[in-house]
Amino acid sequence: MTTNDSGSAPKPPAKDPWDLPDVSGLTVGVLGGTGPQGRGLAYRFARAGQKVVIGSRAADRAEAAAAELGHGVEGADNAECARRSDIVIVAVPWDGHAKTLESLREELAGKLVVDCVNPLGFDKKGAYALKPEEGSAAEQAAALLPDSRVTAAFHHLSAVLLQDEAIEEIDTDVMVLGEARADTDTVQALASRIPGMRGVFAGRLRNAHQVESLVANLISVNRRYKAHAGLRTTDV
């Protein structure tokens, strides 16, 4: 019997970071799906062939928005949206973030939750980042949803571009953060379902604050240059 020098089995080859799972059969729920960002994400995923349910506090409002979006999008109240979805994107306003998640703790248990909320303030000088007590919106979500698998992604996307039916591709990368590789791989794969978009792993949830905060800088870029700026990561 032969052994290697260390006496242990050889290590398996490193996993290809771009070997991502097939997520085409998963149902995507969007909490806050009647707002600009939520509507835009719902439209893009549905247009890419994903099953999408948008949620709102009022089911009739969600149903009306879903009818406008087409592509098979369905509407429901937030609780039903969470129950029916495999992956749930949180796209609610920051001031309603904690209250919304607290009320849905049971429905979101066991779900993969993707937080894309940016805690921002605005004054005469423009947008500026807020820092929640937990460190970031994503970390607040993780604290409020102990039975869910919380990730963070989709922070830097222009709602205007997402909703523009004339635009075929969204030329941007999506920074994806989370604690489990299987979960971040799934979210990366979901981002890559949208033509032109790519999901890139960007660390654990403790790094979410600077990702969320960067939106304040992008708002300044957009105002100065009359643009809808996104991000690209080079050499990856």
Side-chain angles (χ1 to χ4, degrees):
M1 178 178 180
T2 60
T3 61
N4 59 22
D5 293 341
S6 65
S8 60
K11 292 182 179 180
K15 184 177 184 293
D16 180 355
W18 298 111
D19 182 13
L20 301 174
D22 179 7
V23 297
S24 59
L26 300 181
T27 298
V28 178
V30 184
L31 303 179
T34 58
Q37 192 79 356
R39 285 175 64 102
L41 285 168
Y43 171 70
R44 288 292 160 177
F45 286 126
R47 180 167 163 172
Q50 213 75 34
K51 177 66 177 175
V52 177
V53 181
I54 60 174
S56 176
R57 286 177 295 177
D60 57 349
R61 185 179 177 193
E63 290 165 357
E68 292 174 3
L69 291 172
H71 296 279
V73 176
E74 298 179 8
D77 63 43
N78 282 330
E80 182 65 15
C81 171
R83 281 192 291 266
R84 292 171 55 186
S85 303
D86 301 301
I87 303 176
V88 180
I89 298 173
V90 182
V92 300
W94 166 240
D95 58 6
H97 183 260
K99 185 177 180 180
T100 299
L101 296 184
E102 284 175 336
S103 70
L104 297 172
R105 182 176 297 174
E106 181 178 343
E107 289 82 3
L108 291 171
K111 304 285 185 176
L112 177 53
V113 175
V114 187
D115 201 297
C116 70
V117 175
N118 302 302
L120 297 176
F122 296 86
D123 59 19
K124 292 181 179 179
K125 295 182 180 181
Y128 60 94
L130 302 175
K131 189 162 188 179
E133 181 179 349
E134 298 84 355
S136 64
E139 289 170 294
Q140 183 184 86
L144 293 171
L145 303 172
D147 298 321
S148 302
R149 293 137 47 216
V150 176
T151 61
F154 304 116
H155 301 90
H156 307 136
L157 307 181
S158 165
V160 173
L161 297 184
L162 289 172
Q163 294 183 83
D164 190 337
E165 297 181 7
I167 293 176
E168 296 291 333
E169 298 186 358
I170 305 293
D171 182 24
T172 192
D173 283 339
V174 172
M175 302 292 100
V176 180
L177 303 97
E179 300 303 316
R181 179 162 182 174
D183 293 338
T184 56
D185 280 358
T186 296
V187 179
Q188 285 181 253
L190 183 65
S192 299
R193 291 277 290 161
I194 299 175
M197 198 176 289
R198 181 179 67 159
V200 178
F201 175 73
R204 294 180 178 268
L205 287 187
R206 68 181 183 180
N207 295 319
H209 172 65
Q210 56 264 37
V211 173
E212 297 169 0
S213 300
L214 188 58
V215 173
N217 303 89
L218 289 177
I219 290 172
S220 297
V221 170
N222 290 338
R223 287 181 173 175
R224 174 64 64 89
Y225 299 103
K226 310 300 180 187
H228 302 293
L231 298 179
R232 276 295 189 198
T233 305
T234 62
D235 198 33
V236 175

